Amino acid sequence: MKSYKIGIIKGDGIGPEIIDEAIKVLDAISVKQGFNLKYEEMLLGGAAIDETGVPLPDETIQGVKKCDAVLFGAIGGPKWDKLERHLRPETGLLGLRKEMGTFANLRPAMVYDELVNASSLKPEVIKGVDIMVVRELTGGIYFGQPRAIEEDRAYNTMVYTREEVERIAVVAFEIAMKRNKRICSVDKANVLEVSHFWRDIVEEVAKNYPEVELSHMYVDNAAMQLIRAPKQFDVILTGNIFGDILSDAASMLSGSIGLLPSASTGKGVGLFEPIHGSAPDIAGQGIANPLATISSASMMLRYALGESKAADKIDEAIKRALSEGYRTGDIGDYDAKEICTCSQMGDIIADYASR
Ligand code: IPM
Ligand code: MN
């Protein structure tokens, strides 16, 4: 029987609750589909700070390298907000992404037909939306040097190298070839040199993909267009900070940020995580929506392990549960037949996915 080793990072806040549901689903499906998953838990973020004093322990850096893929919940919370930047939970996640070389962050924003009424936008605006945000994840202003806080000023630097832009552009074009062959590259080239450079390199890469229609958009306009007419987008290619912001905005097209998964891939082992945060306000109450994490587990099966049948089963199970009216609280106001806890939702998906 095929066997895979999965790194598990539960993290903080709702992280442990949502990861437990994803594991429940993975266990049910792997038995049924004839492969075996071995889990190895690792520490990151606040949980790591409490246990070891640092947000990214060496054991985690070494541990992830021995895995076939890593599934991650969420990190951060008010408890650690007062720490200096290099000791904050978020720094652990950024360091892990850099260590793993996961430069390409894929964030799908799709609207489930069953939930067209859950969005704050009109159903006709969002029905059929299917966008893939390709966010550069290990460069840009998040990592640029120099950076500092001084007495009377502070600064960060937005840097992109040719290699960094080329490789993320290639990822976006390859994805576009498998989708509707349209890319909108988002930047701020009317103001920033780094964006001008980005645009030139994306144009160069485009020459190798004559079938793909490439357009460019300034990030302020893109934020507006995502809300005004989201169906105009197929693949959005953008840098680290613009992608961070636009993917949160795009998530609301689906009705709840609790629904959307992400995959971070690059040089080696991939990292799979929901796009939402640790939601400390609802942590421990059992009411979080586990679907984004369960969906991330499905992306992990598909992209990291090649178990696409199992991934299809999970995706179908999610659609079925939603069409039958099972809802967690975040989407509970819309066509709900039954409001579920986090764990009940996990039970339902595990059951449907393994039939
Ligand atoms: C995300 C998060 C992270 C980011 C934070 C927690 C560092 O917002 O994954 O989108 O900004 O990348
Ligand atoms: Mn974010």
Side-chain angles (χ1 to χ4, degrees):
M1 201 197 286
K2 263 188 287 177
S3 179
Y4 306 100
K5 188 161 163 189
I6 308 298
I8 296 287
I9 300 176
K10 294 188 174 179
D12 312 319
I14 58 171
E17 309 162 41
I18 54 180
I19 288 281
D20 284 347
E21 299 317 308
I23 291 179
K24 189 188 277 176
V25 173
L26 284 170
D27 281 342
I29 192 103
S30 54
V31 169
K32 206 70 190 179
Q33 297 292 325
F35 56 88
N36 181 19
L37 298 175
K38 288 202 187 71
Y39 305 106
E40 183 154 330
E41 258 196 65
M42 283 165 255
L43 292 171
L44 183 74
I49 295 170
D50 290 351
E51 192 83 13
T52 69
V54 292
L56 175 57
D58 274 341
E59 298 84 80
T60 301
I61 299 178
Q62 297 314 322
V64 293
K65 292 183 179 152
K66 296 184 199 123
C67 296
D68 294 300
V70 179
L71 186 64
F72 163 57
I75 54 163
K79 183 175 171 196
W80 306 280
D81 272 352
K82 297 232 156 55
L83 294 172
E84 275 178 70
R85 191 185 63 83
H86 73 281
L87 288 174
R88 285 179 61 106
E90 291 81 357
T91 306
L93 175 58
L94 297 176
L96 185 68
R97 288 172 178 169
K98 195 81 175 173
E99 283 286 342
M100 294 176 76
T102 52
F103 62 83
N105 184 215
L106 316 183
R107 297 191 161 185
M110 68 289 186
V111 174
Y112 290 106
D113 279 352
E114 295 76 15
L115 290 179
V116 282
N117 295 316
S119 172
S120 48
L121 299 177
K122 294 195 189 101
E124 61 268 29
V125 174
I126 54 150
K127 189 162 194 289
V129 160
D130 180 8
I131 301 171
M132 180 64 88
V133 179
V134 178
R135 169 189 177 195
E136 198 291 327
L137 198 63
T138 55
I141 197 166
Y142 273 52
F143 292 92
Q145 296 292 343
R147 61 191 298 164
I149 303 189
E150 296 170 355
E151 187 68 19
D152 295 313
R153 59 174 203 157
Y155 47 87
N156 291 89
T157 313
M158 199 190 277
V159 192
Y160 270 114
T161 64
R162 171 177 295 277
E163 187 204 350
E164 285 173 328
V165 183
E166 263 170 16
R167 67 188 182 184
I168 192 70
V170 167
V171 169
F173 278 94
E174 291 292 332
I175 288 174
M177 287 298 289
K178 297 191 193 118
R179 295 174 47 104
N180 294 319
K181 302 198 170 86
R182 283 186 298 118
I183 293 187
C184 179
S185 173
V186 173
D187 61 38
K188 189 71 184 171
N190 51 346
V191 177
L192 304 175
E193 282 78 2
V194 61
S195 284
H196 199 104
F197 179 79
W198 172 282
R199 206 177 258 223
D200 287 348
I201 292 176
V202 173
E203 284 288 344
E204 278 172 33
V205 173
K207 290 189 188 126
N208 300 325
Y209 299 88
E211 283 173 60
V212 177
E213 180 194 315
L214 171 66
S215 61
H216 301 275
M217 203 180 270
Y218 300 137
V219 63
D220 48 351
N221 185 26
M224 187 268 275
Q225 296 294 342
L226 263 177
I227 309 301
R228 191 187 72 84
K231 275 183 257 187
Q232 70 186 285
F233 296 106
D234 176 21
V235 174
I236 293 179
L237 161 63
T238 191
N240 205 341
I241 196 161
F242 298 156
D244 179 45
I245 298 165
L246 292 179
S247 60
D248 263 39
S251 77
M252 276 319 290
L253 304 170
S254 76
S256 169
I257 197 169
L259 293 166
L260 296 180
S262 87
S264 301
T265 63
K267 292 180 179 152
V269 181
L271 181 64
F272 297 82
E273 53 175 300
I275 80 159
H276 61 71
S278 61
D281 52 324
I282 59 162
Q285 298 176 33
I287 58 170
N289 186 346
L291 292 180
T293 312
I294 294 172
S295 258
S296 303
S298 157
M299 285 187 98
M300 177 180 84
L301 293 173
R302 191 182 306 282
Y303 295 112
L305 310 183
E307 297 288 352
S308 41
K309 175 119 186 278
D312 289 344
K313 285 276 191 190
I314 294 179
D315 296 351
E316 282 157 22
I318 293 174
K319 288 205 184 99
R320 174 163 173 201
L322 292 173
S323 71
E324 289 177 359
Y326 294 107
R327 305 273 189 272
T328 42
D330 54 324
I331 44 174
D333 290 349
Y334 311 96
D335 313 324
K337 189 190 83 184
E338 198 176 316
I339 303 294
C340 311
T341 62
C342 182
S343 141
Q344 284 166 339
M345 186 58 103
D347 288 340
I348 293 164
I349 307 297
D351 175 23
Y352 288 177
S354 55
R355 285 196 192 176

